[in-house]
Amino acid sequence: MTGGTDVGSRTTSVRTEAGSAPGGVNPLVGREEVLRSFDRVVAAACAGEFQFLAVVGEPGIGKTRLLAELVRRTGQRGLTTLNGRAAELEQIMPFSALVDAVDDHLEAHGAEVLERFGGAQRRRLATIFPALAAAVPDAGDPDEHADRTGIDRLRSYRALRQLVDELAAPNGLALILDDVHWADPSSAEFLDHLVRHPPRGRVLVAVAYRPMQAPHRVLGLVGAAGGRQVTVDPLTPEEGAELLGPEVARARGRALYEASGGNPFYLEALARMNRLAGTELPASVRAVLRVELGDLPPGSLRLAQAAAVAGDEFDPALVAVAAEVPETATLNALDDLVARDILRPASSGRFRFRHPLVRQAAYEYAEAGWRVGAHARLADHLAKVGAPATVQAHHVERSCSFADRRAISTLVTAAKTVATRAPETCAHWLRKALELMPDEPETLDERLTLLMDLSRSQGVSGQLAESRNTARELLRLLPAGQYARRARAARICALMERQLDRPHEARALLLDELNRMPSPRAAAAIPLRMRLVAESLMRVDYRAAQAVLDLMPDSDDGWEPGLETAVAALRPMPAYAGGRMADAQRTADAAERLVDATPDDHLAEWLDAVAWLCWAETCLGRYSAALRYFERAIAVARTTGQAYVLTNLLAGKARTLVALGRLPQALETVEESVDCARLLNSAQQLVFALTQLCLTQAWTGDHEAALRAGQEAVRAAAGSQEVWDHMARNAHGVAMVAAGQLDDGIRVLVDSCASFDDPRVDRATLLATCELLAQVEAGRGRQVEAARWAALAAEVESPKLPVFAGLVDLARAHALAEDPVAAAALAERAAENLLAGQRGVDHGRALLVAGIANGAAGRAATAREQLQQATEQFRDCGARTLEAQTLQERRRLGDRVSTPPSADRDTPFGLSPRELEVATLVVQGLSNRTIAGQLFLSVRTVETHLSRVFTKLGVGSRAAVAAKLAGRA
């Protein structure tokens, strides 16, 4: 591994790196506890558990040397070990840290690795890793159908995660990355994705970074992964003396230690600087390094500066170009720099600096004007040899001059190349291109186009405020009379304000632009009025939304394509919310006809309006239509870059799939929605996604995960009092009830519906809440309360829809539990209506209630048949907890069925049913990761359960758990 400083090792005339010197790795000084942590992590990874390790400390404290030791230990255990580093001067280059670690391995093994990937995945990987580019000739070709939302980054991250899995077979993998505080945004986002979606194989990911310089995403990796953080502290005075060696006098050693503060890098640098007295304290490590560089011969210094311009890892030919020195002289100077340990050999005839700080010092040591010229020479050279625009852009932006058309073109091309997989880099290069472009009438149209692209890239990469500001700049530049273009810009700006939780600003902006228009009924005003409708719907002000819609015609000759469809798509939701079900269904039918007749390219402009139709369809219980339109809208959103709409659509699709009883698909969909929302850094979109994740996990039986998702959703909503706030609290209440927290769950559910006085959630949610509350109260023997909730459900359900009628009957069946014959009849009718309404889980729940009631009424045969049907229904849906409950009821009727531990059975040693499940699988020799996969839990949840098992059993190991349970048997 290169990079970093070999701190904490004995000083020699020329320091060595792991595996690069005949003598091997220099012996470490101290660090015993760190090494013990390494051994534990490596052992766990070799045992099959994904491990994440962060080595944290100040610059020069010894992180790089410790990673070298980790490389040695993972290699000894037989893990495929790939290591690299991030670089300060290349933080804008996408995936640079990962490329540094993996590319050389792929150069040797890329062909066999690519055989395991499909064509699309190959192309994604080939655009990231230069070693694979030659094997996929069309990797760099633009794809006109490419997904331009943040989801394309997710696909890249999933391809990279699959690559990690492939590289881990069969020996396991150690991916070790140094200087991650300098990681480019794409590398940091991928690491975040990887720890949230851990690899399946034997994988250890280790990173080292400076906590004071690391971005928040990097700082959060340990918490997200449930990993281990090792903090590297300064050396003690005794360890400092050992590091310096006996050749340094004791008094000088003490002075050097005090000057260094125990930092090995400072200590080592001071010891090597014979010109400095022991009592002198350098102003900074940069000053120390500049003294070291100042000792170089002029030719070697110039080459070091040219190398710093060329890159973190560089080819000698590029250095020769930058320094304007013949290649032979360049190689001679490089030899001198290697001998002085300024540079170190890298792979394939390339070189790199000993440490990024050394490169930075060399770069800043060069004259500013000379650096500009060196970058310019490299930019010209790379252009002549046909290097990709993304390679040229790094040097172009540091050497170009104002109004340089070639530079602008290169930066724009580079930005478009990385737009889908590295939008933050795209935005950076677009900003630079705009800075170079003259503010002249001739360039106005091009500047407006670039500003639109910039606003999009900023938004997708989570730079919400910057995206909003760019959109406002668009409005400032657009002529007052260009109403249509201003309307489109205002829509973008209002959307950004909405994502920034500034709905009042969004509304004010829309009204201001409407007031500028000569006619409120002009075609250009319609898109702004549509956004006002959406804002009113989000504020749960359905009357205001309807009032705006009532003033809008259905169509007009001057409307652009797709606008008629968009207006129609907005009409069903306010009607549904107002209880006008006939109008809601009629307008939904009309909207469906228009959507079906509208081509995708026309639909794309109005996708935010189409999303409201999709949600209205699912609220009306028209699930097949809802799913069809969600899927079409999602496909359009992916290819047109509408990331905010995409996240919302995925959440809506997940809700529809839950209603249909397709829980595994719902979970996959909603996890994608959560991932997208996190990439966008939008609280509103995250709440939408987490709300559906909470509900999905509650129905699948992963109660702890559901509670976590619900809690996070409520925190993110932060009392906004908009629809997403109330829906988040309602979902959290459902999760609490499902987890057995009945009193608190009831309180949260009732509060989320404003005590049913002025509820802010939709009618379907109100009805489902009433039915659930009736079930809970009946289960606690409180039939009067159950009857009250059933009566309230009947008031909500009007006029009748099959799905609504089924839930009302089910609520009444709960309330009549003391009259099993009547309860069975209502539950059977509910099952018929819920089956007709395509509500898969609820159909199974109605069968379960009917079976229990018939069993109580003495109709054992009918009960067994209904419970068997309920079992199959829950199994098909993936509702594991309900399936287990149904199996328990069948066992009570005398059926011989295997059943997982339930809350109704005594469990040994006071273990909960879930703890007993985990303990039983531990006895079978399964790892935590395997147990998590079988029980559909997170690894962290399994670890929590196992910790409780250890406590209750009074043991401290997995073997002792097996012995304890075996002794009981």
Side-chain angles (χ1 to χ4, degrees):
M1 177 175 62
T2 58
T5 310
D6 289 329
V7 290
S9 61
R10 286 292 304 276
T11 305
T12 61
S13 57
V14 177
R15 296 202 307 269
T16 61
E17 127 186 67
S20 66
V25 180
N26 294 330
L28 278 168
V29 173
R31 313 306 194 199
E32 289 82 6
E33 184 54 41
V34 173
L35 296 179
R36 282 193 288 271
S37 296
F38 283 6
D39 289 337
R40 289 191 289 268
V41 169
V42 173
C46 290
E49 296 184 26
F50 171 71
Q51 294 291 304
F52 183 86
L53 172 69
V55 180
V56 177
E58 67 182 47
I61 201 66
K63 302 182 295 297
T64 296
R65 175 62 184 87
L66 286 166
L67 288 190
E69 183 63 24
L70 181 61
V71 167
R72 187 179 70 82
R73 293 175 184 232
T74 56
Q76 287 177 339
R77 295 295 297 267
L79 297 178
T80 298
T81 301
L82 306 177
N83 52 296
R85 72 178 186 192
E88 183 177 19
L89 293 183
E90 293 179 1
Q91 293 181 67
I92 205 64
M93 299 302 293
F95 301 106
S96 57
L98 197 63
V99 170
D100 187 50
V102 179
D103 203 57
D104 287 344
H105 183 83
L106 293 178
E107 191 169 23
H109 305 284
E112 61 186 83
V113 171
L114 283 177
E115 290 177 357
R116 306 169 203 164
F117 291 83
Q121 298 289 67
R122 291 184 185 186
R123 285 191 292 274
R124 285 194 178 87
L125 293 175
T127 63
I128 296 171
F129 297 101
L132 300 181
V136 186
D138 60 342
D141 293 344
D143 183 0
E144 61 179 313
H145 302 294
D147 187 333
R148 293 180 174 82
T149 70
I151 196 63
D152 192 73
R153 288 141 66 204
L154 285 177
R155 292 198 180 100
S156 295
Y157 299 161
R158 289 169 182 163
L160 289 170
R161 179 189 176 279
Q162 183 183 346
L163 177 64
V164 169
D165 279 328
E166 297 295 344
L167 294 176
N171 299 322
L173 173 69
L175 179 62
I176 301 174
L177 303 176
D178 199 3
D179 296 329
V180 174
H181 50 274
W182 285 328
D184 61 280
S186 299
S187 293
E189 280 190 355
F190 168 67
L191 288 172
D192 183 74
H193 178 84
L194 187 66
V195 300
R196 294 181 186 277
H197 306 276
R200 296 186 299 272
R202 302 160 55 204
V203 176
L204 163 63
V205 175
V207 299
Y209 59 82
R210 305 171 187 173
M212 297 301 293
Q213 294 175 245
H216 291 298
R217 192 181 294 275
V218 170
L219 293 174
L221 290 174
V222 171
R228 184 189 302 271
Q229 177 172 302
V230 173
T231 301
V232 186
D233 296 319
L235 298 174
T236 66
E238 295 75 15
E239 290 168 344
E242 183 181 353
L243 175 64
L244 291 172
E247 61 269 25
V248 177
R250 184 174 302 177
R252 177 171 170 76
R254 284 197 299 267
L256 289 171
Y257 178 84
E258 292 174 5
S260 70
N263 183 297
F265 174 63
Y266 294 179
L267 180 60
E268 190 174 23
L270 289 168
R272 294 174 63 185
M273 294 164 51
N274 294 326
R275 291 183 301 172
L276 291 179
T279 57
E280 291 184 66
L281 180 63
S284 67
V285 69
R286 184 167 286 107
V288 172
L289 291 172
R290 290 187 68 167
V291 170
E292 184 177 7
L293 292 169
D295 285 339
L296 295 173
S300 296
L301 176 60
R302 181 58 81 197
L303 262 295
Q305 294 166 336
V309 171
D312 188 53
E313 185 173 306
F314 51 85
D315 187 284
L318 290 181
V319 177
V321 171
E324 298 181 290
V325 173
E327 192 163 348
T328 301
T330 297
L331 294 173
N332 291 335
L334 291 177
D335 287 340
D336 179 52
L337 292 170
V338 170
R340 294 171 181 270
D341 200 29
I342 301 296
L343 301 179
R344 293 178 177 173
S347 59
S348 304
R350 294 184 295 243
F351 295 84
R352 69 190 317 164
F353 283 87
R354 178 184 78 229
H355 189 279
L357 283 178
V358 182
R359 179 193 175 191
Q360 183 69 16
Y363 187 84
E364 294 183 0
Y365 205 173
E367 304 89 338
W370 181 89
R371 290 200 304 263
V372 172
H375 280 298
R377 289 187 288 276
L378 285 174
D380 290 340
H381 173 76
L382 291 170
K384 289 176 183 176
V385 300
T390 51
V391 176
Q392 298 180 48
H394 172 70
H395 299 290
V396 166
E397 68 170 299
R398 287 166 173 78
S399 61
C400 54
S401 56
F402 185 69
D404 184 339
R405 293 303 308 180
R406 193 184 78 172
I408 294 170
S409 176
T410 299
L411 291 168
V412 171
T413 301
K416 291 180 178 179
T417 301
V418 302
T420 58
R421 68 177 187 273
E424 193 164 350
T425 300
C426 172
H428 171 83
W429 282 331
L430 286 174
R431 280 197 304 270
K432 186 63 179 180
L434 283 163
E435 290 171 5
L436 297 176
M437 190 171 293
D439 186 0
E440 299 172 347
E442 294 79 6
T443 65
L444 177 60
D445 191 66
E446 185 178 3
R447 281 186 288 123
L448 292 175
T449 300
L450 292 182
L451 283 169
M452 189 73 73
D453 291 341
L454 174 59
S455 180
R456 180 189 297 275
S457 294
Q458 289 170 325
V460 170
S461 61
Q463 302 174 64
L464 304 182
E466 294 85 348
S467 180
R468 182 269 317 276
N469 294 340
T470 302
R472 285 197 177 275
E473 177 70 3
L474 268 172
L475 288 171
R476 185 186 70 81
L477 293 174
L478 281 166
Q482 293 191 16
Y483 302 118
R485 295 185 74 183
R486 290 189 62 86
R488 285 193 290 271
R491 284 183 66 215
I492 293 175
C493 194
L495 180 58
M496 292 301 100
E497 295 285 20
R498 157 61 58 183
Q499 302 307 320
L500 286 164
D501 302 325
R502 291 160 53 94
H504 300 297
E505 287 78 359
R507 182 176 177 82
L509 171 68
L510 294 168
L511 291 172
D512 180 62
E513 285 298 321
L514 280 169
N515 290 334
R516 293 170 181 264
M517 293 189 174
S519 170
R521 293 183 176 272
I526 298 300
L528 301 180
R529 292 188 178 279
M530 291 171 59
R531 280 303 311 164
L532 282 176
V533 171
E535 289 295 326
S536 297
L537 290 173
M538 292 297 295
R539 299 199 321 272
V540 206
D541 190 350
Y542 301 119
R543 292 181 179 177
Q546 188 63 59
V548 177
L549 280 171
D550 288 343
L551 296 175
M552 293 168 58
D554 289 332
S555 64
D556 191 274
D557 292 339
W559 285 8
E560 58 187 284
L563 187 52
E564 179 183 357
T565 301
V567 172
L570 282 175
R571 295 193 185 278
M573 182 60 84
Y576 162 78
R580 296 179 287 109
M581 297 299 178
D583 286 346
Q585 296 201 70
R586 176 182 55 79
T587 54
D589 290 339
E592 285 184 15
R593 289 191 294 271
L594 287 170
V595 170
D596 290 342
T598 303
D600 285 355
D601 56 343
H602 293 170
L603 207 62
E605 182 65 24
W606 313 106
L607 211 54
D608 53 337
V610 175
W612 285 105
L613 170 63
C614 298
W615 280 89
E617 296 276 23
T618 200
C619 288
L620 287 165
R622 297 158 56 129
Y623 301 118
S624 294
L627 191 59
R628 180 160 54 94
Y629 291 116
F630 270 125
E631 289 178 343
R632 183 181 174 194
I634 287 169
V636 175
R638 293 188 196 279
T639 57
T640 56
Q642 300 183 58
Y644 296 108
V645 184
L646 177 64
T647 303
N648 178 277
L649 290 168
L650 288 167
K653 180 183 175 182
R655 172 172 167 151
T656 306
L657 289 168
V658 168
L660 289 168
R662 293 159 62 175
L663 298 181
Q665 289 176 267
L667 188 59
E668 180 182 358
T669 301
V670 76
E671 285 177 344
E672 183 179 356
S673 180
V674 171
D675 284 340
C676 289
R678 293 192 192 281
L679 287 175
L680 291 171
N681 201 25
S682 167
Q684 174 184 301
Q685 297 303 331
L686 184 60
V687 172
F688 271 116
L690 287 171
T691 297
Q692 300 310 316
L693 177 63
C694 173
L695 292 171
T696 306
Q697 290 171 326
W699 286 118
T700 60
D702 194 349
H703 301 309
E704 293 187 31
L707 288 171
R708 286 198 302 273
Q711 290 163 358
E712 186 179 358
V714 171
R715 286 196 303 269
S720 71
Q721 295 303 309
E722 291 198 322
V723 64
W724 40 293
D725 177 20
H726 299 281
M727 294 300 294
R729 287 188 279 135
N730 187 269
H732 187 212
V734 171
M736 296 172 77
V737 168
Q741 301 175 18
L742 300 184
D743 290 332
D744 288 341
I746 290 173
R747 176 182 55 78
V748 171
L749 283 171
V750 172
D751 179 67
S752 73
C753 299
S755 300
F756 294 84
D757 295 328
D758 183 22
R760 315 280 282 183
V761 298
D762 66 277
R763 287 174 173 265
T765 299
L766 278 177
L767 183 52
T769 301
C770 290
E771 185 270 322
L772 179 59
L773 290 170
Q775 176 190 350
V776 172
E777 297 293 15
R780 300 202 294 183
R782 300 168 61 173
Q783 301 307 130
V784 173
E785 283 298 303
R788 183 172 74 86
W789 290 118
L792 188 55
E795 292 179 15
V796 173
E797 182 264 329
S798 177
K800 295 184 182 301
L801 294 173
V803 61
F804 286 4
L807 287 176
V808 172
D809 281 339
L810 186 54
R812 288 169 172 162
H814 296 316
L816 291 176
E818 295 179 350
D819 182 354
V821 174
L826 283 168
E828 288 166 357
R829 191 169 71 185
E832 292 177 3
N833 282 325
L834 291 167
L835 177 61
Q838 299 180 288
R839 291 186 69 99
V841 174
D842 288 334
H843 174 230
R845 293 174 61 236
L847 288 171
L848 173 59
V849 173
I852 293 172
N854 277 313
R859 303 167 179 171
T862 301
R864 288 192 180 94
E865 180 181 354
Q866 290 171 336
L867 292 175
Q868 172 65 32
Q869 292 174 359
T871 302
E872 294 172 356
Q873 182 70 22
F874 292 139
R875 186 170 297 146
D876 289 343
C877 291
R880 292 176 291 106
T881 300
L882 288 170
E883 180 188 356
Q885 180 184 346
T886 308
L887 289 173
Q888 181 68 11
E889 295 297 334
R890 291 174 62 190
R891 188 180 67 81
R892 287 176 173 171
L893 288 174
D895 282 359
R896 298 179 61 85
V897 293
S898 60
T899 178
S902 72
D904 297 318
R905 295 176 58 184
D906 292 333
T907 56
F909 305 105
L911 299 177
S912 71
R914 180 65 84 190
E915 289 163 359
L916 182 57
E917 280 186 289
V918 171
T920 302
L921 294 174
V922 167
V923 172
Q924 296 173 14
L926 302 185
S927 69
N928 289 357
R929 184 161 300 284
T930 304
I931 294 171
Q934 288 200 12
L935 299 183
F936 298 93
L937 302 175
S938 69
V939 175
R940 189 181 305 175
T941 300
V942 171
E943 291 170 348
T944 300
H945 284 309
L946 191 54
S947 175
R948 293 171 182 164
V949 169
F950 284 172
T951 300
K952 291 180 179 180
L953 269 59
V955 300
S957 70
R958 302 168 82 91
V961 170
K964 196 87 170 182
L965 292 181
R968 178 180 182 274

